[in-house]
Coordinates of all heavy atoms in Angstrom, one line a residue:
M1 N 112.9 206.4 4.1 CA 111.7 206.3 3.4 C 111.3 204.9 3.1 O 112.1 204.1 2.8 CB 111.8 207.1 2.1 CG 111.2 208.5 2.1 SD 111.5 209.4 0.6 CE 110.0 209.2 -0.1
R2 N 110.0 204.6 3.2 CA 109.5 203.3 2.9 C 109.3 203.1 1.4 O 108.9 204.0 0.7 CB 108.2 203.1 3.6 CG 108.3 203.0 5.0 CD 106.9 202.9 5.6 NE 106.7 201.5 6.0 CZ 105.6 201.0 6.5 NH1 104.6 201.8 6.5 NH2 105.5 199.8 6.9
K3 N 109.6 201.9 1.0 CA 109.4 201.6 -0.5 C 107.9 201.3 -0.7 O 107.2 200.8 0.2 CB 110.2 200.3 -0.9 CG 111.7 200.6 -0.9 CD 112.4 199.3 -1.2 CE 112.4 198.9 -2.7 NZ 113.1 197.7 -2.9
K4 N 107.4 201.7 -1.8 CA 106.0 201.4 -2.1 C 105.9 199.9 -2.4 O 106.7 199.4 -3.1 CB 105.6 202.2 -3.3 CG 105.2 203.6 -3.0 CD 104.5 204.2 -4.2 CE 103.9 205.6 -3.8 NZ 103.2 206.2 -4.9
S5 N 104.8 199.4 -2.0 CA 104.6 198.0 -2.2 C 104.1 197.8 -3.7 O 103.3 198.6 -4.2 CB 103.5 197.5 -1.3 OG 103.2 196.1 -1.6
T6 N 104.6 196.8 -4.3 CA 104.2 196.5 -5.7 C 103.1 195.5 -5.8 O 102.6 195.1 -6.8 CB 105.4 195.9 -6.5 OG1 105.9 194.8 -5.9 CG2 106.5 197.0 -6.6
R7 N 102.7 194.9 -4.6 CA 101.6 194.0 -4.5 C 100.3 194.6 -4.8 O 100.0 195.7 -4.3 CB 101.6 193.2 -3.2 CG 102.8 192.4 -3.0 CD 102.7 191.6 -1.7 NE 102.2 192.3 -0.6 CZ 101.9 191.8 0.5 NH1 102.1 190.5 0.8 NH2 101.4 192.5 1.5
K8 N 99.4 193.9 -5.5 CA 98.1 194.4 -5.8 C 97.2 193.8 -4.7 O 97.3 192.7 -4.3 CB 97.6 194.0 -7.2 CG 98.5 194.6 -8.3 CD 98.0 194.1 -9.6 CE 98.9 194.6 -10.7 NZ 98.5 194.1 -12.0
P9 N 96.2 194.6 -4.3 CA 95.2 194.1 -3.3 C 94.4 193.0 -3.9 O 94.1 193.0 -5.1 CB 94.4 195.2 -2.8 CG 94.6 196.2 -4.0 CD 95.9 196.0 -4.6
M10 N 93.9 192.1 -3.1 CA 93.0 191.0 -3.6 C 91.6 191.6 -3.9 O 91.1 192.4 -3.1 CB 92.8 189.9 -2.6 CG 92.0 188.8 -3.1 SD 91.8 187.4 -1.9 CE 93.4 186.8 -1.9
P11 N 91.1 191.4 -5.1 CA 89.8 191.9 -5.5 C 88.7 191.4 -4.5 O 88.8 190.2 -4.0 CB 89.5 191.4 -6.9 CG 90.9 191.1 -7.4 CD 91.7 190.7 -6.2
N12 N 87.7 192.2 -4.2 CA 86.7 191.8 -3.2 C 85.9 190.6 -3.6 O 85.5 189.8 -2.8 CB 85.7 193.0 -3.0 CG 86.4 194.1 -2.2 OD1 87.4 193.8 -1.4 ND2 86.0 195.3 -2.4
D13 N 85.6 190.5 -5.0 CA 84.8 189.4 -5.4 C 85.5 188.1 -5.3 O 85.0 187.0 -4.9 CB 84.3 189.6 -6.8 CG 85.4 189.8 -7.8 OD1 86.5 190.2 -7.4 OD2 85.3 189.5 -9.0
V14 N 86.9 188.1 -5.4 CA 87.7 186.9 -5.2 C 87.7 186.5 -3.8 O 87.5 185.3 -3.4 CB 89.1 187.0 -5.8 CG1 90.0 185.9 -5.5 CG2 89.1 187.3 -7.3
A15 N 87.8 187.5 -2.9 CA 87.8 187.2 -1.5 C 86.5 186.7 -1.0 O 86.4 185.7 -0.2 CB 88.1 188.5 -0.7
R16 N 85.4 187.2 -1.6 CA 84.0 186.6 -1.3 C 83.9 185.2 -1.7 O 83.4 184.3 -1.0 CB 83.0 187.5 -1.9 CG 82.6 188.7 -1.1 CD 81.4 189.4 -1.7 NE 81.6 190.8 -1.7 CZ 81.9 191.5 -2.8 NH1 81.8 191.0 -4.0 NH2 82.1 192.8 -2.7
R17 N 84.5 184.9 -2.9 CA 84.4 183.5 -3.4 C 85.2 182.5 -2.6 O 84.8 181.4 -2.3 CB 84.8 183.4 -4.9 CG 83.7 183.9 -5.8 CD 84.1 183.7 -7.2 NE 84.7 185.0 -7.7 CZ 85.5 185.2 -8.7 NH1 85.9 184.2 -9.4 NH2 85.9 186.3 -9.0
I18 N 86.3 183.0 -2.1 CA 87.2 182.2 -1.2 C 86.4 181.9 0.1 O 86.3 180.8 0.6 CB 88.5 182.9 -0.9 CG1 89.4 182.9 -2.2 CG2 89.3 182.2 0.3 CD1 90.6 183.7 -2.0
M19 N 85.8 183.0 0.7 CA 85.0 182.8 1.9 C 83.8 181.8 1.7 O 83.5 181.0 2.5 CB 84.5 184.1 2.4 CG 85.6 185.0 2.9 SD 86.5 184.3 4.3 CE 85.3 184.4 5.5
A20 N 83.2 181.9 0.5 CA 82.0 181.1 0.2 C 82.5 179.6 0.1 O 81.8 178.7 0.6 CB 81.4 181.5 -1.1
R21 N 83.7 179.4 -0.5 CA 84.2 178.0 -0.6 C 84.5 177.4 0.8 O 84.3 176.3 1.0 CB 85.4 178.0 -1.5 CG 85.2 178.2 -2.9 CD 84.7 177.0 -3.6 NE 84.5 177.2 -5.0 CZ 84.4 176.3 -5.9 NH1 84.5 175.0 -5.6 NH2 84.3 176.6 -7.2
C22 N 85.1 178.3 1.6 CA 85.4 177.8 3.0 C 84.1 177.5 3.8 O 84.1 176.6 4.6 CB 86.2 178.9 3.7 SG 87.9 179.1 3.0
A23 N 83.1 178.3 3.6 CA 81.8 178.1 4.3 C 81.2 176.8 3.8 O 80.5 176.2 4.6 CB 80.9 179.3 4.1
E24 N 81.4 176.4 2.6 CA 80.8 175.2 2.1 C 81.5 174.0 2.6 O 81.1 172.8 2.4 CB 80.9 175.2 0.5 CG 80.0 176.1 -0.1 CD 80.3 176.2 -1.7 OE1 81.1 175.4 -2.2 OE2 79.6 177.0 -2.3
G25 N 82.7 174.2 3.2 CA 83.5 173.0 3.8 C 84.6 172.5 2.9 O 85.1 171.4 3.1
E26 N 85.0 173.3 1.9 CA 86.1 172.9 1.1 C 87.4 172.9 1.9 O 87.6 173.8 2.7 CB 86.3 173.9 -0.1 CG 85.3 173.9 -1.1 CD 85.5 172.8 -2.2 OE1 86.6 172.3 -2.2 OE2 84.6 172.5 -2.9
K27 N 88.2 171.8 1.8 CA 89.4 171.7 2.5 C 90.6 172.3 1.8 O 91.5 172.9 2.3 CB 89.7 170.2 2.8 CG 88.7 169.5 3.7 CD 88.8 170.0 5.1 CE 87.8 169.3 6.0 NZ 87.8 169.8 7.3
K28 N 90.5 172.1 0.4 CA 91.6 172.7 -0.4 C 91.0 173.6 -1.5 O 90.0 173.2 -2.1 CB 92.4 171.6 -1.1 CG 93.0 170.6 -0.1 CD 93.7 169.5 -0.9 CE 94.2 168.4 0.1 NZ 94.7 167.3 -0.6
I29 N 91.6 174.7 -1.7 CA 91.1 175.7 -2.6 C 92.3 176.1 -3.5 O 93.4 176.3 -3.1 CB 90.5 177.0 -1.9 CG1 89.3 176.6 -1.1 CG2 90.1 178.0 -2.9 CD1 88.8 177.7 -0.3
V30 N 92.0 176.3 -4.8 CA 93.0 176.8 -5.8 C 92.6 178.2 -6.2 O 91.5 178.4 -6.7 CB 93.1 175.8 -7.0 CG1 94.2 176.3 -8.0 CG2 93.5 174.4 -6.5
V31 N 93.5 179.1 -6.1 CA 93.3 180.5 -6.6 C 94.2 180.7 -7.8 O 95.4 180.6 -7.7 CB 93.6 181.5 -5.5 CG1 93.4 182.9 -6.0 CG2 92.7 181.3 -4.3
V32 N 93.6 181.0 -8.9 CA 94.4 181.2 -10.1 C 94.5 182.7 -10.4 O 93.6 183.4 -10.2 CB 93.6 180.6 -11.4 CG1 94.4 180.8 -12.6 CG2 93.5 179.1 -11.1
S33 N 95.7 183.1 -10.7 CA 96.0 184.5 -10.9 C 96.1 184.8 -12.4 O 96.5 183.9 -13.2 CB 97.2 185.0 -10.2 OG 98.3 184.4 -10.7
K34 N 95.8 186.0 -12.8 CA 95.9 186.5 -14.2 C 96.6 187.9 -14.0 O 96.1 188.8 -13.4 CB 94.5 186.6 -14.8 CG 94.6 187.0 -16.3 CD 93.3 187.2 -16.9 CE 92.6 185.8 -17.1 NZ 91.3 185.9 -17.8
N35 N 97.7 188.0 -14.7 CA 98.5 189.3 -14.7 C 98.9 189.7 -13.2 O 98.8 190.8 -12.9 CB 97.7 190.4 -15.4 CG 97.5 190.1 -16.8 OD1 98.3 189.5 -17.5 ND2 96.4 190.6 -17.4
G36 N 99.2 188.7 -12.4 CA 99.6 189.0 -11.1 C 98.5 189.3 -10.1 O 98.8 189.6 -8.9
T37 N 97.2 189.2 -10.5 CA 96.1 189.5 -9.6 C 95.2 188.2 -9.5 O 94.9 187.6 -10.5 CB 95.3 190.6 -10.1 OG1 96.1 191.8 -10.3 CG2 94.1 191.0 -9.2
P38 N 94.8 187.8 -8.3 CA 94.0 186.6 -8.2 C 92.7 186.9 -9.0 O 92.0 188.0 -8.9 CB 93.7 186.5 -6.7 CG 94.7 187.3 -6.0 CD 95.1 188.4 -7.0
S39 N 92.2 185.9 -9.8 CA 91.0 186.1 -10.6 C 90.0 185.0 -10.5 O 88.8 185.3 -10.7 CB 91.5 186.3 -12.1 OG 92.1 185.2 -12.5
S40 N 90.4 183.7 -10.3 CA 89.5 182.6 -10.2 C 89.7 181.8 -9.0 O 90.8 181.6 -8.5 CB 89.7 181.7 -11.5 OG 89.5 182.5 -12.6
V41 N 88.6 181.2 -8.5 CA 88.7 180.3 -7.3 C 88.0 179.0 -7.7 O 86.9 179.0 -8.2 CB 88.0 181.0 -6.1 CG1 88.0 180.1 -4.9 CG2 88.6 182.3 -5.8
Y42 N 88.7 177.9 -7.4 CA 88.2 176.6 -7.7 C 88.5 175.7 -6.5 O 89.4 175.9 -5.7 CB 89.0 175.9 -8.9 CG 88.9 176.7 -10.2 CD1 89.9 177.5 -10.6 CD2 87.7 176.6 -10.9 CE1 89.8 178.2 -11.8 CE2 87.6 177.4 -12.1 CZ 88.6 178.1 -12.5 OH 88.6 178.8 -13.7
G43 N 87.6 174.7 -6.3 CA 87.9 173.6 -5.4 C 89.0 172.7 -6.0 O 89.2 172.7 -7.2
F44 N 89.8 172.1 -5.2 CA 91.0 171.3 -5.6 C 90.6 170.2 -6.7 O 91.2 170.1 -7.7 CB 91.7 170.7 -4.5 CG 93.0 170.1 -4.9 CD1 94.1 170.8 -5.3 CD2 93.2 168.7 -4.8 CE1 95.3 170.3 -5.7 CE2 94.4 168.1 -5.2 CZ 95.4 168.9 -5.6
D45 N 89.6 169.4 -6.3 CA 89.1 168.4 -7.2 C 88.6 168.9 -8.5 O 88.8 168.4 -9.6 CB 88.0 167.5 -6.6 CG 88.6 166.8 -5.3 OD1 89.8 166.5 -5.3 OD2 87.8 166.6 -4.4
E46 N 87.8 170.0 -8.4 CA 87.3 170.7 -9.6 C 88.4 171.2 -10.5 O 88.4 171.1 -11.7 CB 86.4 171.8 -9.2 CG 85.8 172.7 -10.2 CD 85.0 173.9 -9.6 OE1 85.0 174.0 -8.4 OE2 84.5 174.6 -10.4
Y47 N 89.5 171.7 -9.9 CA 90.6 172.2 -10.7 C 91.4 171.1 -11.4 O 91.8 171.2 -12.5 CB 91.5 173.0 -9.7 CG 92.7 173.6 -10.4 CD1 92.6 174.7 -11.2 CD2 94.0 173.0 -10.3 CE1 93.7 175.3 -11.8 CE2 95.1 173.5 -10.9 CZ 95.0 174.7 -11.7 OH 96.0 175.2 -12.3
L48 N 91.5 170.0 -10.7 CA 92.2 168.8 -11.3 C 91.4 168.3 -12.5 O 92.0 167.9 -13.5 CB 92.4 167.7 -10.3 CG 93.5 168.0 -9.2 CD1 93.6 166.8 -8.3 CD2 94.8 168.3 -9.9
K49 N 90.1 168.2 -12.4 CA 89.2 167.8 -13.5 C 89.4 168.7 -14.7 O 89.4 168.3 -15.8 CB 87.8 167.7 -13.1 CG 87.5 166.5 -12.2 CD 86.0 166.5 -11.8 CE 85.7 165.4 -10.8 NZ 84.3 165.4 -10.3
M50 N 89.4 170.0 -14.4 CA 89.5 171.0 -15.4 C 90.9 170.9 -16.1 O 91.0 171.1 -17.3 CB 89.4 172.4 -14.8 CG 89.0 173.5 -15.8 SD 88.7 175.0 -14.9 CE 90.3 175.5 -14.4
Q51 N 91.9 170.5 -15.4 CA 93.2 170.4 -16.0 C 93.3 169.1 -16.9 O 94.0 169.1 -17.9 CB 94.3 170.3 -14.9 CG 94.5 171.6 -14.1 CD 95.1 172.7 -15.0 OE1 96.0 172.4 -15.7 NE2 94.5 173.8 -14.9
E52 N 92.6 168.1 -16.5 CA 92.6 166.8 -17.3 C 91.7 166.9 -18.5 O 91.9 166.1 -19.4 CB 92.2 165.7 -16.4 CG 93.2 165.3 -15.3 CD 94.5 164.7 -16.0 OE1 94.4 164.0 -17.0 OE2 95.6 165.1 -15.5
L53 N 90.7 167.7 -18.5 CA 89.7 167.7 -19.6 C 90.3 167.9 -21.0 O 90.0 167.2 -21.9 CB 88.6 168.8 -19.3 CG 87.4 168.8 -20.2 CD1 86.7 167.5 -20.1 CD2 86.5 169.9 -19.9
P54 N 91.2 168.9 -21.2 CA 91.7 169.0 -22.5 C 92.6 167.8 -23.0 O 92.6 167.6 -24.2 CB 92.6 170.3 -22.4 CG 92.2 171.0 -21.2 CD 91.6 170.0 -20.3
R55 N 93.1 167.1 -22.1 CA 93.9 165.9 -22.4 C 93.0 164.8 -22.9 O 93.4 164.0 -23.7 CB 94.7 165.5 -21.3 CG 95.8 166.5 -20.9 CD 96.7 166.0 -19.8 NE 97.6 167.0 -19.4 CZ 97.7 167.4 -18.1 NH1 96.9 166.9 -17.2 NH2 98.5 168.4 -17.8
K56 N 91.8 164.8 -22.4 CA 90.8 163.7 -22.8 C 90.0 164.1 -24.0 O 89.8 163.3 -24.9 CB 89.9 163.4 -21.6 CG 90.6 162.7 -20.5 CD 89.7 162.5 -19.3 CE 90.4 161.9 -18.1 NZ 89.5 161.7 -17.0
V57 N 89.5 165.3 -24.0 CA 88.5 165.7 -25.1 C 89.2 166.1 -26.4 O 88.8 165.7 -27.5 CB 87.6 166.8 -24.6 CG1 86.7 167.4 -25.6 CG2 86.9 166.4 -23.4
K58 N 90.3 166.8 -26.4 CA 91.0 167.3 -27.5 C 90.1 168.0 -28.5 O 89.8 167.5 -29.6 CB 91.7 166.2 -28.2 CG 92.8 165.6 -27.3 CD 93.7 164.6 -27.9 CE 94.5 164.0 -26.8 NZ 95.6 163.3 -27.1
P59 N 89.5 169.2 -28.1 CA 88.5 169.9 -29.0 C 89.1 170.3 -30.3 O 88.4 170.5 -31.3 CB 88.1 171.1 -28.1 CG 89.2 171.3 -27.2 CD 89.8 169.9 -26.9
W60 N 90.4 170.6 -30.4 CA 91.0 171.0 -31.6 C 90.9 170.0 -32.8 O 91.0 170.4 -33.9 CB 92.4 171.5 -31.4 CG 93.3 170.4 -30.8 CD1 94.0 169.4 -31.6 CD2 93.5 170.1 -29.5 NE1 94.7 168.6 -30.7 CE2 94.4 169.0 -29.4 CE3 93.1 170.7 -28.3 CZ2 94.8 168.5 -28.2 CZ3 93.6 170.1 -27.1 CH2 94.4 169.0 -27.1
K61 N 90.7 168.7 -32.4 CA 90.6 167.7 -33.5 C 89.2 167.7 -34.1 O 89.0 167.4 -35.3 CB 90.9 166.3 -32.9 CG 92.3 166.1 -32.6 CD 92.6 164.7 -32.3 CE 94.1 164.5 -32.0 NZ 94.4 163.1 -31.7
S62 N 88.2 168.1 -33.3 CA 86.8 168.0 -33.9 C 86.4 169.3 -34.6 O 85.4 169.4 -35.2 CB 85.8 167.7 -32.8 OG 85.8 168.7 -31.8
R63 N 87.2 170.4 -34.4 CA 86.8 171.7 -35.0 C 86.9 171.6 -36.5 O 86.1 172.2 -37.2 CB 87.7 172.8 -34.5 CG 87.4 173.2 -33.1 CD 88.2 174.4 -32.7 NE 88.1 174.6 -31.2 CZ 89.1 174.8 -30.4 NH1 90.3 174.8 -30.8 NH2 88.8 174.9 -29.1
N64 N 87.9 170.9 -37.0 CA 88.0 170.8 -38.5 C 86.9 169.9 -39.1 O 86.6 170.1 -40.3 CB 89.3 170.2 -38.8 CG 90.5 171.1 -38.5 OD1 90.3 172.3 -38.4 ND2 91.7 170.5 -38.2
A65 N 86.2 169.1 -38.4 CA 85.2 168.3 -38.9 C 83.8 169.0 -39.0 O 82.9 168.5 -39.7 CB 84.9 167.0 -38.0
L66 N 83.7 170.2 -38.4 CA 82.5 171.0 -38.5 C 82.3 171.5 -39.9 O 83.2 171.8 -40.6 CB 82.5 172.2 -37.5 CG 82.6 171.8 -36.1 CD1 82.7 173.1 -35.2 CD2 81.3 171.1 -35.6
P67 N 81.0 171.5 -40.4 CA 80.8 172.0 -41.8 C 81.1 173.5 -41.8 O 80.8 174.2 -40.9 CB 79.3 171.7 -42.0 CG 78.7 171.6 -40.6 CD 79.8 171.1 -39.7
K68 N 81.6 174.0 -42.9 CA 81.9 175.3 -43.1 C 80.7 176.1 -43.5 O 79.9 175.6 -44.3 CB 83.0 175.5 -44.1 CG 84.3 174.9 -43.6 CD 85.4 175.3 -44.5 CE 86.6 174.6 -43.9 NZ 87.7 174.5 -44.0
P69 N 80.4 177.3 -43.0 CA 79.2 178.0 -43.4 C 79.3 178.5 -44.8 O 80.4 178.7 -45.4 CB 79.2 179.3 -42.4 CG 80.6 179.4 -42.0 CD 81.2 178.0 -42.0
A70 N 78.2 178.7 -45.4 CA 78.1 179.2 -46.8 C 78.7 180.6 -46.9 O 78.6 181.4 -46.0 CB 76.7 179.2 -47.3
D71 N 79.4 180.9 -48.0 CA 80.0 182.2 -48.2 C 78.9 183.2 -48.5 O 78.1 183.0 -49.4 CB 81.0 182.1 -49.3 CG 81.9 183.3 -49.4 OD1 81.8 184.2 -48.5 OD2 82.7 183.4 -50.3
A72 N 78.9 184.2 -47.7 CA 77.9 185.2 -47.8 C 78.1 186.1 -49.1 O 77.1 186.5 -49.8 CB 77.8 186.2 -46.6
L73 N 79.3 186.3 -49.4 CA 79.7 187.0 -50.7 C 80.6 186.2 -51.5 O 81.8 186.3 -51.5 CB 80.4 188.4 -50.3 CG 79.6 189.4 -49.5 CD1 80.5 190.5 -49.0 CD2 78.4 189.9 -50.3
P74 N 80.0 185.3 -52.3 CA 80.8 184.4 -53.1 C 81.5 185.2 -54.2 O 81.0 186.2 -54.7 CB 79.8 183.4 -53.7 CG 78.5 184.1 -53.7 CD 78.5 185.0 -52.5
S75 N 82.7 184.7 -54.6 CA 83.4 185.3 -55.7 C 82.8 184.9 -57.0 O 82.2 183.9 -57.2 CB 84.9 184.9 -55.6 OG 85.0 183.5 -55.8
I76 N 83.0 185.9 -58.0 CA 82.5 185.6 -59.3 C 83.7 185.7 -60.3 O 84.6 186.4 -60.0 CB 81.4 186.6 -59.7 CG1 81.8 188.0 -59.6 CG2 80.1 186.3 -58.8 CD1 80.9 189.0 -60.1
D77 N 83.6 185.0 -61.4 CA 84.6 185.2 -62.4 C 84.3 186.4 -63.3 O 83.3 186.4 -64.0 CB 84.6 183.9 -63.3 CG 85.1 182.7 -62.5 OD1 85.9 182.9 -61.6 OD2 84.6 181.6 -62.8
A78 N 85.1 187.4 -63.2 CA 85.0 188.6 -64.0 C 86.4 189.2 -64.2 O 87.2 189.1 -63.4 CB 84.1 189.6 -63.3
G79 N 86.4 189.9 -65.3 CA 87.7 190.5 -65.6 C 87.6 192.0 -65.2 O 86.6 192.5 -64.8
I80 N 88.8 192.7 -65.3 CA 88.9 194.1 -64.9 C 88.6 194.9 -66.2 O 89.1 194.7 -67.2 CB 90.3 194.4 -64.4 CG1 90.6 193.5 -63.2 CG2 90.4 195.9 -64.2 CD1 92.0 193.7 -62.7
K81 N 87.6 195.8 -66.1 CA 87.2 196.6 -67.2 C 88.2 197.6 -67.5 O 88.6 197.9 -68.7 CB 85.8 197.2 -67.0 CG 84.7 196.2 -67.0 CD 83.4 197.0 -66.8 CE 82.2 195.9 -66.9 NZ 80.9 196.6 -66.7
A82 N 88.7 198.4 -66.5 CA 89.7 199.4 -66.7 C 90.4 199.5 -65.3 O 89.9 199.4 -64.3 CB 89.0 200.7 -67.0
P83 N 91.7 199.7 -65.4 CA 92.5 199.9 -64.2 C 92.1 201.2 -63.5 O 91.8 202.2 -64.1 CB 93.9 199.9 -64.6 CG 93.9 200.4 -66.1 CD 92.6 199.9 -66.6
L84 N 92.1 201.1 -62.1 CA 91.8 202.3 -61.3 C 93.0 203.2 -61.2 O 94.1 202.7 -61.0 CB 91.3 201.9 -59.9 CG 89.9 201.3 -59.9 CD1 89.6 200.9 -58.5 CD2 88.8 202.3 -60.3
E85 N 92.8 204.5 -61.3 CA 93.9 205.4 -61.1 C 93.5 206.4 -60.0 O 92.4 206.4 -59.5 CB 94.2 206.2 -62.4 CG 94.7 205.3 -63.5 CD 94.9 206.1 -64.8 OE1 94.7 207.3 -64.8 OE2 95.3 205.4 -65.8
R86 N 94.5 207.1 -59.5 CA 94.2 208.0 -58.4 C 93.1 209.0 -58.7 O 92.3 209.3 -57.8 CB 95.5 208.7 -58.0 CG 95.4 209.5 -56.7 CD 96.8 210.0 -56.3 NE 96.7 210.6 -55.0 CZ 96.9 209.9 -53.8 NH1 97.0 208.6 -53.9 NH2 96.8 210.5 -52.7
K87 N 93.0 209.5 -59.9 CA 92.0 210.5 -60.2 C 90.6 209.9 -60.2 O 89.7 210.6 -60.0 CB 92.3 211.1 -61.6 CG 92.2 210.0 -62.7 CD 92.4 210.7 -64.0 CE 92.3 209.6 -65.1 NZ 92.3 210.0 -66.4
D88 N 90.5 208.6 -60.3 CA 89.2 207.9 -60.3 C 88.6 207.8 -58.8 O 87.4 207.6 -58.6 CB 89.3 206.5 -60.8 CG 89.7 206.5 -62.3 OD1 89.4 207.5 -63.0 OD2 90.4 205.6 -62.7
F89 N 89.5 207.9 -57.8 CA 89.0 207.8 -56.4 C 88.3 209.0 -56.0 O 87.4 209.0 -55.2 CB 90.2 207.6 -55.5 CG 90.9 206.2 -55.6 CD1 92.3 206.1 -55.6 CD2 90.2 205.1 -55.9 CE1 92.9 204.9 -55.7 CE2 90.8 203.9 -56.0 CZ 92.2 203.8 -55.9
Y90 N 88.7 210.2 -56.5 CA 88.1 211.5 -56.0 C 87.3 212.0 -57.1 O 87.8 212.4 -58.2 CB 89.2 212.4 -55.6 CG 90.1 211.8 -54.6 CD1 91.4 211.4 -55.0 CD2 89.7 211.7 -53.3 CE1 92.3 210.8 -54.1 CE2 90.6 211.1 -52.3 CZ 91.8 210.7 -52.8 OH 92.7 210.2 -51.8
E91 N 86.0 212.1 -56.9 CA 85.1 212.7 -58.0 C 84.6 214.0 -57.6 O 84.4 214.3 -56.4 CB 84.0 211.8 -58.3 CG 84.4 210.5 -58.9 CD 83.3 209.6 -59.4 OE1 82.3 210.1 -60.0 OE2 83.3 208.5 -59.1

């Protein structure tokens, strides 16, 4: 008996993007997989730029500098009038 193949077929949209890149004249193509299935297609130079971008930009440093939005439900100083009991939940 033959063993079943565990390989997943290439999605049609990824195959079309590979063919489109080849038709444009790309010499090197990078195919990125997600969960074992090809999902993204990049040109080699485009992929290298994308890999270098986080090292240059460092977006996590500028996120803390953004102003925080106003609180929609601000807290108020108030005391507890009476403790809640189980009988108060069901009327």
Side-chain angles (χ1 to χ4, degrees):
M1 258 172 104
R2 292 176 104 185
K3 288 175 85 176
K4 279 192 172 182
S5 176
T6 58
R7 294 188 317 175
K8 297 177 184 176
M10 182 178 293
N12 289 335
D13 59 336
V14 174
R16 277 190 224 108
R17 283 185 265 156
I18 291 172
M19 292 299 291
R21 290 279 183 163
C22 291
E24 292 172 4
E26 289 274 349
K27 296 289 183 184
K28 299 176 187 176
I29 298 174
V30 179
V31 179
V32 180
S33 66
K34 186 185 286 186
N35 297 329
T37 305
S39 62
S40 302
V41 180
Y42 301 102
F44 186 70
D45 297 329
E46 180 184 0
Y47 181 75
L48 289 179
K49 285 180 188 175
M50 199 173 70
Q51 292 293 314
E52 288 296 321
L53 188 64
R55 294 184 187 123
K56 292 178 183 176
V57 175
K58 300 188 184 191
W60 55 90
K61 288 188 175 180
S62 64
R63 285 187 192 132
N64 292 335
L66 295 175
K68 296 193 179 191
D71 192 4
L73 297 171
S75 62
I76 57 171
D77 293 329
I80 298 173
K81 292 185 177 180
L84 287 175
E85 295 178 1
R86 187 171 190 85
K87 64 178 182 174
D88 298 329
F89 293 139
Y90 307 104
E91 292 187 49

